[in-house]
Amino acid sequence: MEKHQQQELNLVPTNDDTEALLTEDIESDNELSTLLDQTLAGITDYMTEEEATEYIARILDGVEIESENTLFENVTPYIPENIKITNYRPDQAVREASLAQKNMWKPGDGEISYLASNTLEVYLGTPERPLEIPQALKQIRQLSESTVLTARIVLGLWNIRRHNDRVSKNGSVAILLEEILQWQGVQKHSRVAHPGTTKRYTDGYRTEQKQRVLQDLALLASCNVRGNCTITVKGKSVSIQVDGTYMRYSVVSRKTLLNERIIVGFLVSPGDWISTYEQHQNYYLAEVDSQIFKLNPQNDRYALRIALYMTERWREQAKQGDFSTPIMMSELLAASMIEVDERHMTSRFVPRIEASLEKLESMGIIGKQICITDVDRNQTRWSKDWLASRWEILPPLKLIQEYQAMNNPLRKRVRNKTRTREREQQ
């Protein structure tokens, strides 16, 4: 049985603290509403009033009041050891676009876009009205490792909850902003309840931490993916065209007695592209160790980028049941969206990459990593040999076992029948 680490979103107050905590909760909720308004104002800074109104309406799908609150009351946050996240071509393209050097985005006919290694294009705005280059550049500069982490977390939660009517509606699932921070291992600040006591209660998460999540959601909702994808239909490969938003989210809020808007949470779903896959029974999910989400986007930047890519690679290898195929270091770095620091290769860059691999192994995110090519580091210029070296990077045993179970023919038939029944009911 899978062990779950239960984590409460709020401390249960004593009677003495109830009034103070209620006041703080209202102030915190109001702060969240203000932060959302500020985030959207920053993103639409370059737009006309008409464009901004249309853009905000599109990425938020409108603001729901009160009717969906019960969905969030049923949310029970917990963090399992592993989580199945979506691992489709659009997911891979958005990961690359978010981590790419900004000069890899190329201007086109009135817009700017990124061409991913799987030939899908990522652009910003809407299919009907892509953002013009000055507007898009501002958002491109905000894309980061945090954006990818937020995408993986919310679509992983979507995959878990999508068939649970208590926390989902019309293909979207209820997600609390604090859940995302919780998955990332961000600690709440706490303080003494009052002088002379050892009692402590939480002040919640810091403003900048909430602001980052809201910004990530807005950026992901503004990303669009277009191009050809290959799916399997009745055993044959078929090319399909996708062009639309990567992810949607709606803000769910309630009104106070003073008629103020307080954000409860978000309803999140992938874009319509996922229906194109699933209507032909094409499901691409990757097993991810939840510790990946706790890697620090600044301090563990290389380790995080490698881990995000390896989850995609292992999923592809699981189809053939062969995880031992080696990868050249230069290919690993390119696929992980890591720029080679040629000026400080042997003195700084190589040690940092190898330290990142060792850290992932020590955390259990990687089962084993070993260089199977002899590199003579006594030579004057050995960095080229190191880039050409071949590495065997295996997933942990528990992940291999999960994939073996997932790819079991009997379980596949049962899973497909269950999904067919669910679609018919819907």
Side-chain angles (χ1 to χ4, degrees):
M1 175 156 315
E2 209 173 42
K3 294 182 180 179
H4 293 156
Q5 180 183 354
Q6 192 75 22
Q7 297 189 16
E8 297 296 331
L9 285 180
N10 297 296
L11 296 176
V12 179
T14 63
N15 291 335
D16 294 338
D17 299 329
T18 300
E19 186 175 346
L21 283 173
L22 286 174
T23 302
E24 282 208 0
D25 285 343
I26 293 174
E27 290 176 352
S28 177
D29 289 339
N30 285 333
E31 177 200 30
L32 187 55
S33 298
T34 302
L35 286 176
L36 180 64
D37 293 339
Q38 291 172 349
T39 301
L40 296 177
I43 285 179
T44 58
D45 189 36
Y46 282 86
M47 303 181 191
T48 65
E49 184 175 351
E50 180 183 356
E51 289 173 335
T53 301
E54 178 185 343
Y55 179 73
I56 292 173
R58 178 261 187 181
I59 68 170
L60 295 185
D61 280 344
V63 177
E64 304 286 341
I65 305 295
E66 294 184 353
S67 61
E68 314 300 344
N69 286 354
T70 54
L71 293 177
F72 294 87
E73 293 171 0
N74 294 326
V75 171
T76 305
Y78 67 88
I79 301 178
E81 291 182 2
N82 296 333
I83 182 173
K84 289 182 176 66
I85 64 169
T86 59
N87 189 38
Y88 296 81
R89 294 298 178 89
D91 293 307
Q92 297 162 6
V94 169
R95 173 186 67 85
E96 289 187 18
S98 299
L99 302 179
Q101 301 169 52
K102 306 318 172 190
N103 60 9
M104 296 177 72
W105 287 73
K106 302 299 181 183
D109 185 15
E111 66 174 38
I112 186 170
S113 63
Y114 172 80
L115 181 63
S117 61
N118 59 21
T119 73
L120 289 183
E121 273 190 296
V122 179
Y123 65 97
L124 303 173
T126 70
E128 300 77 20
R129 184 181 291 180
L131 291 185
E132 294 183 2
I133 294 176
Q135 303 165 358
L137 283 173
K138 181 179 180 181
Q139 293 194 26
I140 290 168
R141 285 192 290 268
Q142 295 173 336
L143 294 169
S144 67
E145 288 84 0
S146 174
T147 313
V148 183
L149 285 177
T150 299
R152 294 294 180 266
I153 291 168
V154 298
L155 293 187
L157 292 174
W158 171 82
N159 182 55
I160 289 175
R161 298 173 181 172
R162 58 188 299 198
H163 299 303
N164 184 346
D165 293 338
R166 298 177 69 247
V167 290
S168 66
K169 182 177 182 181
N170 298 330
S172 298
V173 304
I175 296 178
L176 302 167
L177 180 141
E178 291 195 349
E179 275 189 280
I180 301 171
L181 292 168
Q182 194 178 62
W183 270 83
Q184 293 178 354
V186 178
Q187 298 297 316
K188 290 183 178 181
H189 180 261
S190 64
R191 61 185 172 87
V192 177
H194 50 79
T197 181
T198 57
K199 289 183 179 179
R200 304 182 68 87
Y201 63 89
T202 179
D203 284 340
Y205 295 104
R206 296 196 303 272
T207 298
E208 61 269 23
Q209 294 167 336
K210 297 177 184 178
Q211 179 83 53
R212 190 191 69 240
V213 173
L214 292 171
Q215 176 178 282
D216 288 340
L217 289 172
L219 289 170
L220 291 166
S222 73
C223 285
N224 294 272
V225 183
R226 68 179 169 215
N228 290 314
C229 296
T230 301
I231 63 172
T232 303
V233 180
K234 296 181 179 179
K236 295 182 179 180
S237 296
V238 177
S239 180
I240 59 171
Q241 181 76 22
V242 297
D243 188 359
T245 183
Y246 171 63
M247 192 197 81
R248 293 193 180 96
Y249 76 101
S250 300
V251 178
V252 179
S253 63
R254 59 183 172 84
K255 287 186 177 180
T256 67
L257 295 176
L258 300 176
N259 209 33
E260 293 178 324
R261 181 167 65 94
I262 293 179
I263 293 177
V264 178
F266 308 98
L267 290 175
V268 178
S269 69
D272 292 337
W273 54 267
I274 201 165
S275 301
T276 307
Y277 281 93
E278 293 190 345
Q279 68 183 355
H280 297 293
Q281 287 77 52
N282 283 257
Y283 302 93
Y284 301 111
L285 301 172
E287 287 280 346
V288 175
D289 190 318
S290 60
Q291 289 192 88
I292 288 177
F293 303 116
K294 296 180 181 179
L295 290 168
N296 188 292
Q298 284 77 42
N299 301 335
D300 304 317
R301 183 167 170 263
Y302 289 155
L304 176 56
R305 290 185 175 219
I306 292 171
L308 289 169
Y309 166 66
M310 289 308 301
T311 60
E312 296 176 7
R313 176 177 167 84
W314 288 332
R315 180 67 189 99
E316 292 300 314
Q317 290 179 321
K319 295 176 183 178
Q320 286 75 42
D322 180 13
F323 296 99
S324 60
T325 302
I327 185 171
M328 190 180 296
M329 176 54 70
S330 59
E331 294 175 356
L332 173 64
L333 297 175
S336 302
M337 308 306 291
I338 296 175
E339 182 182 8
V340 176
D341 183 0
E342 295 181 356
R343 294 182 59 187
H344 307 95
M345 275 290 289
T346 58
S347 62
R348 188 164 62 193
F349 183 72
V350 172
R352 287 183 177 178
I353 294 298
E354 294 184 345
S356 296
L357 288 169
E358 290 170 2
K359 177 167 186 173
L360 292 174
E361 184 176 12
S362 68
M363 293 176 67
I365 294 173
I366 284 177
K368 180 183 178 183
Q369 53 86 26
I370 184 172
C371 179
I372 58 176
T373 304
D374 288 332
V375 178
D376 186 357
R377 304 195 182 198
N378 293 319
Q379 293 183 0
T380 305
R381 296 182 178 179
W382 55 268
S383 58
K384 287 185 178 179
D385 291 340
W386 182 81
L387 287 172
S389 64
R390 295 163 66 79
W391 291 68
E392 189 177 81
I393 304 176
L394 300 174
L397 179 60
K398 62 182 179 182
L399 225 59
I400 295 176
Q401 293 170 339
E402 285 287 341
Y403 276 127
Q404 288 174 340
M406 189 188 303
N407 293 328
N408 181 287
L410 179 61
R411 285 191 61 174
K412 274 188 174 179
R413 286 196 294 271
V414 172
R415 191 164 61 246
N416 288 337
K417 287 180 181 179
T418 302
R419 286 168 175 161
T420 301
R421 285 198 300 270
E422 289 169 346
R423 283 196 299 274
E424 290 172 350
Q425 290 171 358
Q426 290 172 357

